[in-house]
């Protein structure tokens, strides 16, 4: 994918007639449905998206300049906003942040989309770059929580913040997108992951 710029900013959209919310949602749903069905991003086209959405190609081009921008906005629509943290307890803030990672959706399709998308992120440099931009705000909030914990003495002064970010997020992503271990009860998973990590991150 050679143009991974999101069109979320209305000023960056191609000029045209006012947006039709119904048509736009049909297009977004079409892209997500195709990804959930296992189609590789490289095989998606404006023609196939338009056919699935039941709209003309011109309807898509009035809203997006390219196929890649349609895909970016469709996938971005799945991402939940970064939650606000209270700033009082490192543990509570981490639980708040981790509980939103891979949070089950009321639409089972969305979970399939992410499961199909992640392998493609790994092998597509452009998509990987875009995905990093999407998740970096959540990572940065988590970094600030960990650094605050170091400053307040809640966490070890020699803590490797980047490694802790990885150790916190990885089990949430793998378990919630792949159900890697069916024996895991996902109720309270964020709390248990955070507590397990903080056992090693706490001051000696």
């Amino acid at each position: 994918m050679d143009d991974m710029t999101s069109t979320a900013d209305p000023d960056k959209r191609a000029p045209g007639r006012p947006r039709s919310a119904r048509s736009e949602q049909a297009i977004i749903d079409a892209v997500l449905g195709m990804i959930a069905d296992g189609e590789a991003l490289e095989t998606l086209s404006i023609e196939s998206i338009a056919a699935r959405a039941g709209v003309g190609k011109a309807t898509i081009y009035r809203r997006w300049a390219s196929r890649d921008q349609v895909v970016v906005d469709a996938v971005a629509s799945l991402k939940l906003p970064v939650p606000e943290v209270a700033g009082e307890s490192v543990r509570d803030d981490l639980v708040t942040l981790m509980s939103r990672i891979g949070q089950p959706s009321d639409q089972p399709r969305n979970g399939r989309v992410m499961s199909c998308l992640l392998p493609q992120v790994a092998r597509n440099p452009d998509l990987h770059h875009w995905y990093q931009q999407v998740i970096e705000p959540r990572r940065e909030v988590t970094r600030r929580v960990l650094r605050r914990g170091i400053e307040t003495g809640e966490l070890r002064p020699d803590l490797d913040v980047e490694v802790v970010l990885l150790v916190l997020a990885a089990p949430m992503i793998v378990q919630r997108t792949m159900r890697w271990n069916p024996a895991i009860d996902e109720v309270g998973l964020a709390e248990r992951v955070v507590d397990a990590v903080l056992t090693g991150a706490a001051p000696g």
Side-chain angles (χ1 to χ4, degrees):
M1 302 178 75
D2 54 9
D3 180 6
M4 301 304 298
T5 302
S6 172
T7 58
D9 183 348
D11 293 335
K12 295 180 181 178
R13 291 186 182 275
R17 291 183 293 178
R19 295 186 304 172
S20 163
R22 182 177 300 176
S23 295
E24 179 165 327
Q25 188 59 52
I27 294 164
I28 294 295
D29 287 341
V31 173
L32 296 178
M34 295 167 79
I35 296 174
D37 289 345
E39 292 198 37
L41 298 182
E42 294 84 356
T43 67
L44 299 184
S45 66
I46 292 295
E47 290 79 6
S48 63
I49 295 169
R52 176 110 175 200
V55 302
K57 291 190 295 182
T59 301
I60 296 178
Y61 281 122
R62 280 199 295 269
R63 294 155 177 78
W64 293 277
S66 70
R67 182 276 317 261
D68 293 343
Q69 290 184 354
V70 184
V71 172
V72 166
D73 279 359
V75 177
S77 71
L78 300 179
K79 301 301 291 182
L80 296 172
V82 179
E84 295 185 5
V85 295
E88 298 174 357
S89 162
V90 168
R91 178 189 181 276
D92 291 347
D93 288 350
L94 291 178
V95 168
T96 296
L97 292 165
M98 294 306 109
S99 65
R100 297 294 290 272
I101 294 179
Q103 189 175 56
S105 169
D106 57 359
Q107 297 188 45
R109 177 201 64 186
N110 293 355
R112 295 197 303 273
V113 169
M114 295 309 298
S115 296
C116 294
L117 184 67
L118 289 177
Q120 299 187 59
V121 168
R123 68 172 183 262
N124 185 314
D126 292 322
L127 183 59
H128 183 269
H129 176 71
W130 167 79
Y131 186 70
Q132 294 304 310
Q133 293 179 313
V134 171
I135 65 176
E136 180 58 25
R138 185 184 306 273
R139 259 196 314 239
E140 181 56 30
V141 171
T142 308
R143 282 192 193 98
R144 291 201 295 265
V145 171
L146 294 172
R147 289 169 181 155
R148 190 188 79 230
I150 294 172
E151 293 173 359
T152 61
E154 294 173 78
L155 303 176
R156 287 172 17 205
D158 62 342
L159 194 69
D160 188 325
V161 170
E162 296 303 316
V163 169
V164 173
L165 281 174
L166 176 64
V167 175
L168 284 168
M172 301 300 303
I173 295 171
V174 172
Q175 185 64 24
R176 284 186 165 171
T177 60
M178 300 176 59
R179 293 197 70 245
W180 184 80
N181 185 350
I184 294 290
D185 183 357
E186 295 191 16
V187 175
L189 179 60
E191 289 86 346
R192 284 177 286 151
V193 168
V194 168
D195 286 342
V197 173
L198 290 184
T199 298

